[in-house]
Amino acid sequence: MNEQLNSKIVHLKTGKKEFQLPYTNRGVGRTLENGLRACVDWVEATFIFVSPTQLISDVLLLNPSNFFPDTGANGYRQCLRNGSIAIFFDGREDMGVHLEMKGRGCREYESYNKRSWKQLFEIMLSNQASFSRLDIAVDDFKGFFTIKGMVRKIKSKELVSKFKKARNVEDIEIKTGEVRGVTLYFGSNKSDIQIRMYDKLSERTDNNYNVPPEITFWNRTEIQSRNKKAQALAVTLANEEDGEITIGKTVCGILRHYLRFTVKGNDSNRRRWKTAPFWEKFLNGVDELPLTTIIEAPTIEEKEEWLSKQVSSTLALVHEAYGGDMKQIERFVKQGIERLKPKDYDMINRFKAQKKTSLVGETKEASNDLLS
């Protein structure tokens, strides 16, 4: 597998206009011409015979000095954290060391370009990792279906499923009554398999993420696997081979097994109704997907958090040693300004633009409150 991280711009045709979607892909020539993308979106695993330092340096290939102490959780008294990558330890003897990488943590790990997911899962399994959760997400930028359309299908009994129930949750803006996002759940959150479908674009924009204006549609289908299912999925990914096995085949198999949207027929047995063309087309696209590595640009807020956790005490030490003279701190800042690159200024400009937009919104809201 080619270990070079190749950045590309993929041109997608939505039927309305062409947009550009930045993405990266390890060792796979296939692009996103069908408007779909698959990625790892959550990893949790426990190690009994690996120390926290070994997990960081030998398994993840990261620098332990970049991890700072944080609050423990879930029975672990201590934690080492680097951004959204967390290592929990110091629990009961049988609890071992626990690795947690949620969605943001997965993107951060990819940005270090240390191991491919295949390589990471291989080394984790060789160290007897016990996976408790592993999520795969499929992003749809083309619009194979809408979440509201899926809800209508379910209410019309046009779904054959292994699940007994589906749950539809709407995020409603109280002030306007506008539905800002819809999430469709199949299976319980604690079951070995849960499938979620939701409007990722609304989620991103509502949480002030910088989404390129060219992206006008973004649905996400997530498969959350736990325990034995997570372990089996990790083994599948570890055994993935270019051109032969793709994550798409696994995801497609899971979706086909649990969900089949249909076209209403006359037969009293709904299982004999034909599969809906949109669902078949979506699954055929998913079936061909390789595992994609996504590099998301860091934010000013993340830089601030790192500065607070990693550098603030050192700055305070220098500040106090020089009798509170800020000139020493200013000298560091000036040196840093000289080293800023175009990508750094891009991050600065995006942050300022977001702050300006937020300030305008807060000012208008305050004015309306005064007049109401």
Side-chain angles (χ1 to χ4, degrees):
M1 181 177 288
N2 179 12
E3 289 310 310
Q4 296 299 318
L5 194 62
N6 299 317
S7 295
K8 304 177 181 179
I9 295 294
V10 180
H11 299 270
L12 304 181
K13 292 285 187 178
T14 64
K16 295 181 179 179
K17 63 179 181 178
E18 183 182 51
F19 68 84
Q20 294 182 330
L21 175 68
Y23 91 110
T24 58
N25 202 342
R26 289 182 189 262
V28 179
R30 189 185 306 278
T31 61
L32 297 177
E33 66 268 9
N34 64 358
L36 297 171
R37 175 181 71 186
C39 62
V40 174
D41 201 52
W42 193 301
V43 177
E44 280 194 68
T46 301
F47 301 79
I48 300 299
F49 305 107
V50 175
S51 71
T53 302
Q54 288 173 325
L55 176 54
I56 294 170
S57 60
D58 298 342
V59 177
L60 299 176
L61 294 184
L62 299 179
N63 187 347
S65 65
N66 290 333
F67 283 73
F68 57 86
D70 200 5
T71 306
N74 301 321
Y76 293 96
R77 288 182 284 272
Q78 298 188 63
C79 173
L80 291 173
R81 181 180 295 277
N82 180 357
S84 296
I85 302 174
I87 311 294
F88 295 94
F89 61 101
D90 192 14
R92 295 191 316 271
E93 186 175 350
D94 62 338
M95 291 175 65
V97 177
H98 188 74
L99 168 66
E100 179 188 86
M101 293 193 291
K102 299 181 181 180
R104 171 63 67 173
C106 291
R107 304 289 77 80
E108 290 172 0
Y109 184 73
E110 289 173 336
S111 71
Y112 290 117
N113 192 20
K114 295 296 184 180
R115 294 190 192 275
S116 67
W117 287 112
K118 169 184 168 62
Q119 292 173 325
L120 180 61
F121 293 138
E122 282 179 335
I123 193 68
M124 289 175 70
L125 290 168
S126 70
N127 281 277
Q128 302 181 48
S130 177
F131 285 81
S132 54
R133 180 169 172 181
L134 179 53
D135 294 5
I136 298 294
V138 174
D139 290 320
D140 171 13
F141 298 97
K142 187 176 181 179
F144 285 86
F145 55 82
T146 65
I147 307 303
K148 291 181 179 180
M150 300 300 244
V151 173
R152 287 195 297 269
K153 278 281 187 183
I154 296 170
K155 291 182 177 180
S156 298
K157 302 179 183 179
E158 295 174 63
L159 171 63
V160 176
S161 176
K162 296 287 184 181
F163 298 112
K164 293 183 178 180
K165 294 182 180 180
R167 183 161 54 95
N168 179 36
V169 178
E170 293 184 345
D171 289 330
I172 305 172
E173 190 171 316
I174 294 176
K175 195 169 186 178
T176 64
E178 181 183 0
V179 177
R180 299 293 299 164
V182 180
T183 303
L184 190 55
Y185 295 88
F186 301 92
S188 93
N189 190 48
K190 293 184 178 180
S191 62
D192 281 354
I193 287 285
Q194 183 187 56
I195 298 173
R196 291 185 294 273
M197 299 175 176
Y198 63 97
D199 182 349
K200 186 70 173 178
L201 182 59
S202 293
E203 184 216 51
R204 283 294 176 105
T205 53
D206 288 349
N207 286 285
N208 297 318
Y209 279 90
N210 182 46
V211 179
E214 295 84 3
I215 297 179
T216 58
F217 187 95
W218 186 357
N219 271 353
R220 171 165 283 191
T221 298
E222 291 178 348
I223 295 178
Q224 174 185 298
S225 66
R226 288 185 178 276
N227 305 320
K228 290 183 179 180
K229 299 285 189 186
Q231 195 78 17
L233 183 53
V235 171
T236 298
L237 293 177
N239 293 326
E240 186 181 40
E241 298 177 18
D242 285 347
E244 296 182 19
I245 302 174
T246 68
I247 185 58
K249 293 187 183 300
T250 301
V251 172
C252 181
I254 294 172
L255 292 175
R256 283 189 187 279
H257 181 73
Y258 286 96
L259 304 173
R260 185 170 71 86
F261 289 89
T262 67
V263 176
K264 190 180 290 291
N266 296 322
D267 198 314
S268 59
N269 186 344
R270 292 190 299 115
R271 294 186 178 278
R272 290 198 284 263
W273 291 359
K274 292 182 179 180
T275 301
F278 82 86
W279 186 241
E280 195 63 52
K281 189 175 181 181
F282 173 70
L283 291 179
N284 287 340
V286 170
D287 185 68
E288 300 177 353
L289 289 178
L291 190 59
T292 302
T293 297
I294 307 166
I295 304 299
E296 293 187 349
T299 65
I300 293 293
E301 290 82 0
E302 289 169 342
K303 296 288 186 180
E304 281 186 290
E305 181 183 4
W306 179 86
L307 188 67
S308 174
K309 298 284 188 180
Q310 300 284 74
V311 184
S312 59
S313 59
T314 302
L315 288 176
L317 185 150
V318 173
H319 180 266
E320 292 301 306
Y322 281 87
D325 187 355
M326 287 297 295
K327 289 182 179 179
Q328 296 299 322
I329 307 301
E330 291 173 0
R331 179 169 62 86
F332 294 141
V333 173
K334 289 178 181 179
Q335 289 175 352
I337 290 174
E338 294 175 358
R339 298 171 185 167
L340 290 177
K341 300 176 180 178
K343 65 177 183 179
D344 298 317
Y345 283 106
D346 178 63
M347 189 194 307
I348 293 169
N349 291 334
R350 283 190 282 110
F351 176 76
K352 288 182 177 179
Q354 289 174 354
K355 293 290 285 184
K356 184 177 181 180
T357 301
S358 176
L359 182 60
V360 169
E362 290 174 0
T363 302
K364 287 183 178 179
E365 187 172 348
S367 298
N368 292 336
D369 289 343
L370 287 172
L371 295 174
S372 61

